[in-house]
Amino acid sequence: MSSFCVTLSRVISYDEYRSDDMSRCFSPDRLYLSRNYSSSKVRQGIARHVSSRLQWVNAKYEGFLKRRFPRFYLLHHTFAQGFKQLFQDAKDVRRIKAKMVYEGVKFQDLPYREMEKLRQFRRDLIKAIPLMVISIPPFANYFVFVLMYFFPRQLLIPHFWNPKQKAEFQRVYHSFRVQHYRPVLKELEIMSHQLKNVPLKGQLTNLCAKVQSGANPKVSEILAVKNLFSSAPLGLKMMSVDHMRRTSPLLFLTPRLPAFLIGRRLNSHALELLQLDRALSRLGPHQLTDSELRQACYLRGISSDGLGVHQCREWLSQWLQVSSSLKESEVSLLLHTVVFLSANYPHVPSHH
């Protein structure tokens, strides 16, 4: 009897334990967590399924376009890749801006690639604003698409150009810039008559004559006249409005603005280029990829079409020698160096 009672007590204790354990398992808190975990897994599974189906549909759609409408497929593919790149660039810019705010990093202290990313994104955004304004009215999207198709260079930012268009449009913009090289040199010769420093005046005249004759000047010949470009009439904030209008296209800036805006934009872009050069010197130009190297040369005055990588590095090295020797007050010389170093490169070797 006693053994039966002991066995019965053990069974009752075990049942109480199981009951207590089950009550813990099915408590409201545990049931909520279980349901929440299960629903989260279900949502993730649904999202993965929907994403894979969308990718499959998109692949089929692109395959159909590629077979039946190859020209439209190229346009569609370019826009799709462009939006992806634009979204990625926006994320990068947001990260860089956050770094500047929370870590107290100034623009001039950013690494070269981050500085260049901000500079280019800002220019692209300014160009895209008119198109965004036009597309605001209802049903204006259709009209905008027509404009973008027929005027891609004027209306679209480089994210939405295909490789052929990028090469073609860069040649067009460079040809516009080259048209201003000779007028800038002639204006410099005219302005040199106002200079009071006779020795430096003669050196500037010889420098302009050398470039106009088709020769490439030495870095030392350019730096010899740098003191002239920090005061009137060649200092950036003291030059005439006409000369500012002639030099604006050297940095791809429109001259068709009021005088005070032209001066302000020219000064800010020239200083930005000087800061970019300093960041590039800190990085080391040998760290640039071939495409980054060619883009750096293009920004500073030459088209890399027909040039080898070695020639691009040689030219950029000369540019940085000039740039690294300039103060911010002498930034006007950096602007004119676009003409001095680019007008004849690489057609004639440099001679003294």
Side-chain angles (χ1 to χ4, degrees), residues 129-145 147:
I129 286 175
L131 193 65
M132 290 189 288
V133 171
I134 294 174
S135 63
I136 290 176
F139 307 109
N141 288 340
Y142 301 104
F143 177 63
V144 169
F145 277 121
L147 288 178

Side-chain angles (χ1 to χ4, degrees), residues 13 28 34 37 43 66 78 98 124 126 129 200 223 248 296 307:
S13 298
S34 177
Y37 177 70
R43 285 197 297 270
K66 193 172 184 178
T78 301
D124 291 342
I126 291 173
I129 286 175
L200 289 182
L223 291 177
S248 288
L307 295 182

Side-chain angles (χ1 to χ4, degrees), residues 224-285:
V225 297
K226 69 176 184 178
N227 291 339
L228 295 175
F229 289 83
S230 59
S231 57
L234 299 178
L236 196 54
K237 294 182 179 180
M238 292 159 276
M239 66 175 60
S240 67
V241 176
D242 287 340
H243 195 58
M244 285 193 290
R245 292 190 191 280
R246 288 188 179 92
T247 53
S248 288
L250 302 180
L251 297 183
F252 302 115
L253 300 176
T254 177
R256 299 179 185 87
L257 288 174
F260 74 97
L261 276 181
I262 289 180
R264 185 181 303 173
R265 291 190 76 203
L266 196 58
N267 185 61
S268 66
H269 281 73
L271 287 174
E272 185 179 59
L273 184 57
L274 182 63
Q275 292 165 353
L276 199 62
D277 286 342
R278 290 172 177 173
L280 180 55
S281 295
R282 292 195 299 268
L283 172 68

Side-chain angles (χ1 to χ4, degrees), residues 16-80:
E16 287 176 351
Y17 171 77
R18 288 289 305 276
S19 175
D20 183 55
D21 188 50
M22 293 297 283
S23 66
R24 285 198 302 270
C25 288
F26 290 97
S27 65
D29 290 341
R30 292 207 172 200
L31 285 172
Y32 172 77
L33 288 172
S34 177
R35 284 196 299 268
N36 189 50
Y37 177 70
S38 300
S39 62
S40 176
K41 288 186 70 176
V42 169
R43 285 197 297 270
Q44 289 177 2
I46 292 174
R48 283 195 297 267
H49 176 72
V50 171
S51 177
S52 65
R53 295 300 296 174
L54 286 175
Q55 290 176 358
W56 180 82
V57 170
N58 186 62
K60 289 289 185 182
Y61 174 65
E62 288 193 344
F64 170 75
L65 288 180
K66 193 172 184 178
R67 290 191 307 270
R68 301 295 299 273
F69 306 101
R71 291 185 65 183
F72 184 76
Y73 165 77
L74 180 61
L75 185 65
H76 165 79
H77 181 74
T78 301
F79 268 75

Side-chain angles (χ1 to χ4, degrees), residues 200 203-204 207 217-229 317-327 330 333-334 337 340-341:
L200 289 182
Q203 288 180 308
L204 179 60
L207 176 62
K218 291 183 176 181
V219 169
S220 58
E221 292 173 327
I222 297 173
L223 291 177
V225 297
K226 69 176 184 178
N227 291 339
L228 295 175
F229 289 83
S317 174
Q318 293 179 3
W319 173 278
L320 291 177
Q321 287 178 54
V322 175
S323 179
S324 62
S325 303
L326 300 181
K327 304 172 186 176
E330 299 164 339
L333 177 58
L334 188 68
T337 300
F340 294 148
L341 285 182

